[in-house]
Amino acid sequence: MIKKLDIYMLRNFMGLFILTFMICCFILLMQFLWMHVNDLVGKGVELSVLMEFFVYATMSVIPLALPLAILLASLMTFGNLGEKFELTAMKSAGVSLFRIMRPLMIFIGMVSVGAFFFSNHVLPASQAKLWALIFSLRQKSPELDIPVAEFYDGVQGYNIYVRKKNPRTGLMENMMIYDYSNGFENAGVTVADSGRVFFTEDNRYLLLKLYNGESFENLNQEQQRATGTQKSVPYRRETFREKQILIDFNTELERYDASVLDDQHVSKNVRQLVQSIDSVSVLSKERSAEQGRNLTQNNYFGRERMSGRELTPVEESQKKTFSIEALRQSLRPEQLRNAYRVAIDKAQNQRNTVEYNAAMLDDYNSYIRKHQIELYRKYTLSFACLIFFFIGAPLGAIIRKGGLGAPIVISVVMFIIYYIIDNTGYKMAREGLWAVWQGMWLSSAVLLPIGVFLTYKAATDSGLFNPEVWIKIYEKVVENIKNKWIALRTR
């Protein structure tokens, strides 16, 4: 049955957990947005697209924010209880630390299970939609904003210069347009007293209306193709009172479908990851076996040997008595040079074949490693939630400091250590230097003993972080050193 103690612990923990989880998500979301700021700024993206991006990005940072929020919330909860001597009162009443932690252990266990289902079902779909949206934003043309008194190269193949703008009418004065859309050798220059910029109704083209100007176009390549000579007129000049230039400039957001990422590891659940790993592993083994057969069935000179056929006694004797030196002496210099050239060519071809086969196998292995990393990550996330709880709760009970001071500092330090270890293991697994399971479980293997040690110290009321205990130890060590020094001096 649920006791009042359980309700009290859950009430204290839940408020801090929700608050710290929102703060951690916000901080990690800002970091994610900073990494992709170039994909968003200056693109003229609608608010609905931005909100969609924020939603998918928030889901992508939840796996990293959840363990940090559990660590900080558990540290603050038990730190507050220790600072107010509530933890001491509970223990004096005969309630053990594990009994105090029991409702939170059950809750964190449910959170860990929920984190696994989130990583297995929600995260793959959100990741596929997020990266499809990012690819779409990267291909979108930037928002047109022609500055004053400087060249603008936001339109592909053109450089536009405007000396002055009329803010009321939108008229641009003293315009100069360099057209490189047909290559630098066919560049064109247009100058105009004034002009305006419009978009077509379908937002796929940019329309420039220019007034009172001249245009110059290089005809060097055109005349060379027509006459086969470069002695014709090098350029064409045009004077106009009004001229329109239509430029391909699509401002619409062309959305990529999330199905383009169906074969990527980020968009697969556990079942799909296991199927992909098994199927590609079979292909990799078949390809490796085929390459081995090709190397063993073809000798250096490229003559195919019949697999499974034993050599005749005559062939065996010829093989044993065959001498490269005798063959070299029997050839004339020209024949010897040709033999060397053929041998070098065949050796180079064999080397190229081996390198190509190695690259193909490396692609298979890289594909398998990426899928294995994603598979193990779904389990390490849930396990990290448990580990951080068993680090934060006993650590808070030992230091007995609540609030936002010491808990935040300790949480940030612990999370940085976790992040460095986890990132190191991930890179080692990704590059194939370690086995994938070793790299992905490295952080858990390092932090789990720390959690067990802190839980044991908190359960036995150890003064691990009590300054007085460390001062006494220091004084005892200094006193022993002095006594040994005096004993050495008196001998």
Side-chain angles (χ1 to χ4, degrees), residues 105-118:
M105 292 168 58
I106 296 174
F107 174 74
I108 296 300
M110 296 171 60
V111 171
S112 300
V113 174
F116 171 77
F117 282 100
F118 176 85

Side-chain angles (χ1 to χ4, degrees), residues 380-434:
T380 56
L381 166 65
S382 301
F383 199 65
C385 296
L386 292 173
I387 291 178
F388 275 112
F389 173 74
F390 283 102
I391 290 177
L395 196 57
I398 293 174
I399 65 174
R400 298 178 181 179
K401 293 290 184 182
L404 296 175
I408 288 183
V409 174
I410 297 174
S411 299
V412 170
V413 172
M414 291 299 300
F415 189 77
I416 290 175
I417 295 174
Y418 163 78
Y419 183 79
I420 292 174
I421 297 174
D422 185 69
N423 200 37
T424 302
Y426 163 73
K427 289 185 178 180
M428 290 295 185
R430 183 189 62 186
E431 300 300 328
L433 301 177
W434 290 356

Side-chain angles (χ1 to χ4, degrees), residues 160-231:
I160 303 176
Y161 178 86
V162 176
R163 185 177 295 274
K164 184 179 178 182
K165 281 185 179 181
N166 190 326
R168 291 184 304 173
T169 62
L171 189 68
M172 296 179 289
E173 301 177 3
N174 294 331
M175 298 182 62
M176 182 180 298
I177 303 169
Y178 287 89
D179 181 4
Y180 299 109
S181 58
N182 295 324
F184 286 96
E185 296 183 355
N186 270 342
V189 181
T190 303
V191 294
D193 291 341
S194 59
R196 299 178 186 275
V197 178
F198 303 95
F199 283 102
T200 57
E201 294 183 359
D202 56 359
N203 289 328
R204 298 185 63 89
Y205 296 95
L206 182 68
L207 181 62
L208 295 179
K209 286 188 177 182
L210 306 178
Y211 308 101
N212 300 325
E214 292 181 321
S215 64
F216 304 86
E217 182 181 358
N218 189 359
L219 302 179
N220 188 25
Q221 283 191 355
E222 183 179 339
Q223 294 293 338
Q224 183 180 2
R225 287 193 299 266
T227 63
T229 178
Q230 299 185 6
K231 295 183 180 180

Side-chain angles (χ1 to χ4, degrees), residues 204-417:
R204 298 185 63 89
Y205 296 95
L206 182 68
L207 181 62
L208 295 179
K209 286 188 177 182
L210 306 178
Y211 308 101
N212 300 325
E214 292 181 321
S215 64
F216 304 86
E217 182 181 358
N218 189 359
L219 302 179
N220 188 25
Q221 283 191 355
E222 183 179 339
Q223 294 293 338
Q224 183 180 2
R225 287 193 299 266
T227 63
T229 178
Q230 299 185 6
K231 295 183 180 180
S232 18
V233 179
Y235 67 91
R236 179 172 59 203
R237 177 181 178 182
E238 176 187 2
T239 302
F240 59 86
R241 297 189 60 183
E242 181 176 343
K243 181 177 181 178
Q244 295 183 358
I245 300 178
L246 192 64
I247 302 174
D248 187 7
F249 190 78
N250 188 6
T251 60
E252 292 293 327
L253 179 64
E254 300 290 340
R255 298 290 296 265
Y256 283 93
D257 191 78
S259 59
V260 299
L261 296 170
D262 285 346
D263 195 42
Q264 298 298 318
H265 56 281
V266 296
S267 63
K268 296 180 181 179
N269 55 30
V270 172
R271 180 179 58 82
Q272 294 170 337
L273 288 170
V274 172
Q275 290 178 352
S276 299
I277 292 171
D278 292 341
S279 59
V280 177
S281 297
V282 172
L283 292 176
S284 177
K285 292 179 181 178
E286 292 178 352
R287 185 62 181 266
S288 179
E290 181 183 356
Q291 293 172 8
R293 288 193 299 269
N294 291 336
L295 289 176
T296 56
Q297 291 178 3
N298 295 282
N299 60 16
Y300 182 80
F301 294 98
R303 293 177 302 181
E304 184 177 356
R305 292 178 177 175
M306 299 298 294
S307 59
R309 184 177 69 84
E310 296 182 358
L311 297 176
T312 63
V314 176
E315 292 175 337
E316 188 68 30
S317 62
Q318 291 177 353
K319 177 182 177 183
K320 293 180 179 179
T321 59
F322 183 76
S323 174
I324 297 294
E325 183 65 23
L327 177 62
R328 187 181 67 82
Q329 293 178 358
S330 65
L331 297 176
R332 296 192 301 272
E334 182 178 356
Q335 293 176 332
L336 188 60
R337 286 194 297 269
N338 292 334
Y340 284 153
R341 185 174 63 254
V342 171
I344 292 173
D345 291 340
K346 290 184 176 295
Q348 186 64 40
N349 292 335
Q350 189 74 358
R351 177 184 176 182
N352 294 336
T353 301
V354 171
E355 291 178 350
Y356 172 77
N357 293 335
M360 293 297 296
L361 287 177
D362 187 65
D363 290 340
Y364 284 133
N365 294 331
S366 177
Y367 183 91
I368 294 173
R369 286 196 301 270
K370 289 179 180 179
H371 282 66
Q372 288 177 337
I373 288 172
E374 191 66 26
L375 177 63
Y376 283 113
R377 195 192 300 275
K378 297 183 185 302
Y379 296 99
T380 56
L381 166 65
S382 301
F383 199 65
C385 296
L386 292 173
I387 291 178
F388 275 112
F389 173 74
F390 283 102
I391 290 177
L395 196 57
I398 293 174
I399 65 174
R400 298 178 181 179
K401 293 290 184 182
L404 296 175
I408 288 183
V409 174
I410 297 174
S411 299
V412 170
V413 172
M414 291 299 300
F415 189 77
I416 290 175
I417 295 174

Side-chain angles (χ1 to χ4, degrees), residues 11-204:
R11 186 170 66 247
N12 287 340
F13 180 80
M14 288 299 297
L16 292 173
F17 174 69
I18 294 174
L19 177 62
T20 53
F21 179 70
M22 294 176 63
I23 293 174
C24 293
C25 284
F26 177 78
I27 295 174
L28 295 174
L29 180 61
M30 291 300 102
Q31 181 204 18
F32 186 84
L33 294 178
W34 181 257
M35 295 172 57
H36 297 278
V37 64
N38 293 331
D39 301 327
L40 299 174
V41 176
K43 296 296 183 70
V45 182
E46 297 180 357
L47 182 60
S48 60
V49 177
L50 288 177
M51 294 302 298
E52 183 181 357
F53 180 86
F54 289 154
V55 171
Y56 296 148
T58 302
M59 291 183 179
S60 67
V61 301
I62 285 178
L64 204 58
L66 193 58
L68 180 58
I70 292 175
L71 173 64
L72 185 55
S74 58
L75 188 59
M76 292 175 63
T77 299
F78 284 85
N80 289 331
L81 293 176
E83 189 175 20
K84 297 176 182 179
F85 298 100
E86 293 178 294
L87 198 60
T88 304
M90 295 177 189
K91 290 182 178 180
S92 63
V95 183
S96 66
L97 179 64
F98 289 103
R99 176 61 185 87
I100 299 172
M101 295 171 57
R102 187 175 70 179
L104 300 184
M105 292 168 58
I106 296 174
F107 174 74
I108 296 300
M110 296 171 60
V111 171
S112 300
V113 174
F116 171 77
F117 282 100
F118 176 85
S119 298
N120 192 40
H121 297 286
V122 180
L123 190 60
S126 63
Q127 285 284 84
K129 293 180 180 179
L130 173 64
W131 286 106
L133 182 58
I134 290 176
F135 294 152
S136 303
L137 291 172
R138 288 176 180 176
Q139 300 299 322
K140 186 182 183 302
S141 301
E143 187 178 17
L144 186 65
D145 185 16
I146 302 176
V148 177
E150 62 181 87
F151 282 95
Y152 175 73
D153 58 354
V155 181
Q156 186 176 2
Y158 292 84
N159 271 344
I160 303 176
Y161 178 86
V162 176
R163 185 177 295 274
K164 184 179 178 182
K165 281 185 179 181
N166 190 326
R168 291 184 304 173
T169 62
L171 189 68
M172 296 179 289
E173 301 177 3
N174 294 331
M175 298 182 62
M176 182 180 298
I177 303 169
Y178 287 89
D179 181 4
Y180 299 109
S181 58
N182 295 324
F184 286 96
E185 296 183 355
N186 270 342
V189 181
T190 303
V191 294
D193 291 341
S194 59
R196 299 178 186 275
V197 178
F198 303 95
F199 283 102
T200 57
E201 294 183 359
D202 56 359
N203 289 328
R204 298 185 63 89

